[in-house]
Amino acid sequence: MHFSQVTLLAFSACLSASVATPTGFSSLRPFTRRGTPNAHAKLLKRGEPETGDDLPDSDDHPNQLDKVETAFNDALELTSYALTKIDGDTDIFPHYFDDGDRAEIKRIFETINKNDAGEADKGSDYLSKILVQTTDRDGKCDSSTLAYSGDYNTDKPFIVLCPNAFKKKAVTALKGKESEDSDALDFYMACSIDGGQIGDHVSWTMNSLGMTLLHEYMHMDGMIKASFGSIVDDPNGNPGYGPVNVYDKIPKDQARINADSYAYYASHVLWSVLCQQDFQAPRAGEDDNDPDCGGNACKP
């Protein structure tokens, strides 16, 4: 979700793209296969977030701070996978965007993925300006909302992560949680073949905490600078949240300015590689009924 004004808190977060190791689930083994990006080997830590009282570190790992730091990495992973696929993608891309917009949509993913020196998988320098917080001073966090953001003050763009956001799982390594742990699937996303929730259809199960951050990054006009105009939610009144709305439903000239279209496209690409399967279209009333958001399509 995107709001033009909010009270900013003193929690400063920069992109902390930790060098991550893939979890042990077989669905994650494609990270090391030839022909797929091994972003874990490329990503370098840009610095730890400065934490306020609402995101403290503790000895109890994984804590909320650990989840946020992993999500920074997961968001960048999503852009990396999207960029690897996008040029020749005639299978997934047409379900989300018009082919005539491909070059600009690729540039938008590159803007998040590359630093100002043009180095891939390092993350935009702009990301270091973003304040990430959990205290909901504006009262925007409700049962269907994961996060909201604003960049009206370009020196202090912000993202608020609501309580529901921490119900979302990780893709890459999470501090204090091994993939071999008996409760690992409570923390990590995985394909159904590995006992995870990601089945045969595009669905809410593909939404990670990192995907939530990627959605909010799309609202940062100071970074994205899309030729289409600001990337928003529900553009011009067209429902734009959730897999059912973004997959072959929202008009393509509206999809290009809809944040969740980018988030679900990138996640669809990533999981098609990790699960090594083609996903069927999402089913209304089933694949958009996210229990983390009260049985509704989440509003990232």
Side-chain angles (χ1 to χ4, degrees):
M1 298 180 71
H2 184 256
F3 294 90
S4 60
Q5 290 188 342
V6 73
T7 302
L8 301 179
L9 299 182
F11 170 59
S12 176
C14 66
L15 177 71
S16 178
S18 305
V19 177
T21 54
T23 70
F25 302 119
S26 62
S27 60
L28 295 185
R29 289 175 190 158
F31 278 128
T32 58
R33 290 195 177 113
R34 178 179 295 181
T36 60
N38 187 355
H40 306 287
K42 298 176 184 177
L43 297 176
L44 299 177
K45 185 174 289 188
R46 293 171 57 91
E48 292 291 335
E50 295 179 13
T51 60
D53 291 340
D54 63 350
L55 268 175
D57 198 3
S58 68
D59 294 331
D60 184 19
H61 301 289
N63 54 43
Q64 286 190 338
L65 178 60
D66 298 326
K67 293 178 180 180
V68 170
E69 290 179 336
T70 293
F72 290 150
N73 188 67
D74 288 351
L76 209 57
E77 292 270 11
L78 285 166
T79 64
S80 181
Y81 272 71
L83 288 168
T84 299
K85 178 81 171 177
I86 197 168
D87 282 336
D89 181 8
T90 58
D91 299 320
I92 300 174
F93 188 89
H95 293 296
Y96 295 89
F97 302 107
D98 185 85
D99 190 62
D101 295 326
R102 190 184 299 263
E104 176 66 353
I105 289 166
K106 177 182 178 180
R107 187 202 63 79
I108 289 169
F109 280 118
E110 286 179 332
T111 295
I112 298 171
N113 180 269
K114 295 181 178 180
N115 64 15
D116 288 358
E119 297 174 298
D121 298 319
K122 298 295 181 67
S124 170
D125 290 9
Y126 185 94
L127 293 172
S128 65
K129 297 181 179 181
I130 297 174
L131 302 176
V132 176
Q133 60 194 55
T134 61
T135 303
D136 179 20
R137 292 288 183 90
D138 275 17
K140 302 295 185 181
C141 292
D142 57 26
S143 62
S144 61
T145 300
L146 298 176
Y148 61 92
S149 60
D151 66 343
Y152 65 91
N153 180 343
T154 55
D155 290 331
K156 295 292 183 183
F158 69 90
I159 296 172
V160 172
L161 294 176
C162 300
N164 285 343
F166 293 97
K167 299 176 184 177
K168 294 304 178 187
K169 300 177 184 179
V171 179
T172 58
L174 184 61
K175 184 176 181 179
K177 183 53 54 182
E178 300 296 330
S179 61
E180 293 79 11
D181 291 350
S182 61
D183 62 346
L185 287 172
D186 292 336
F187 295 87
Y188 289 111
M189 299 173 70
C191 308
S192 59
I193 193 173
D194 299 307
Q197 293 179 300
I198 298 173
D200 295 328
H201 295 261
V202 176
S203 83
W204 61 266
T205 60
M206 295 180 174
N207 191 353
S208 63
L209 183 54
M211 180 178 140
T212 297
L213 287 178
L214 179 60
H215 174 114
E216 299 304 334
Y217 292 167
M218 291 295 167
H219 293 315
M220 302 294 168
D221 287 345
M223 173 172 59
I224 300 299
K225 299 177 181 176
S227 64
F228 312 131
S230 296
I231 297 176
V232 296
D233 300 312
D234 296 338
N236 297 313
N238 292 280
Y241 287 117
V244 171
N245 284 325
V246 301
Y247 188 100
D248 281 336
K249 186 175 182 181
I250 188 171
K252 294 298 191 290
D253 65 336
Q254 302 299 296
R256 66 188 187 182
I257 56 171
N258 183 58
D260 234 17
S261 296
Y262 290 82
Y264 266 100
Y265 170 68
S267 193
H268 187 165
V269 169
L270 181 140
W271 289 105
S272 70
V273 174
L274 299 190
C275 298
Q276 294 197 319
Q277 71 177 79
D278 296 325
F279 292 99
Q280 299 175 45
R283 299 158 293 184
E286 185 168 351
D287 294 313
D288 53 353
N289 288 4
D290 191 335
D292 294 337
C293 294
N296 303 302
C298 287
K299 299 177 181 179

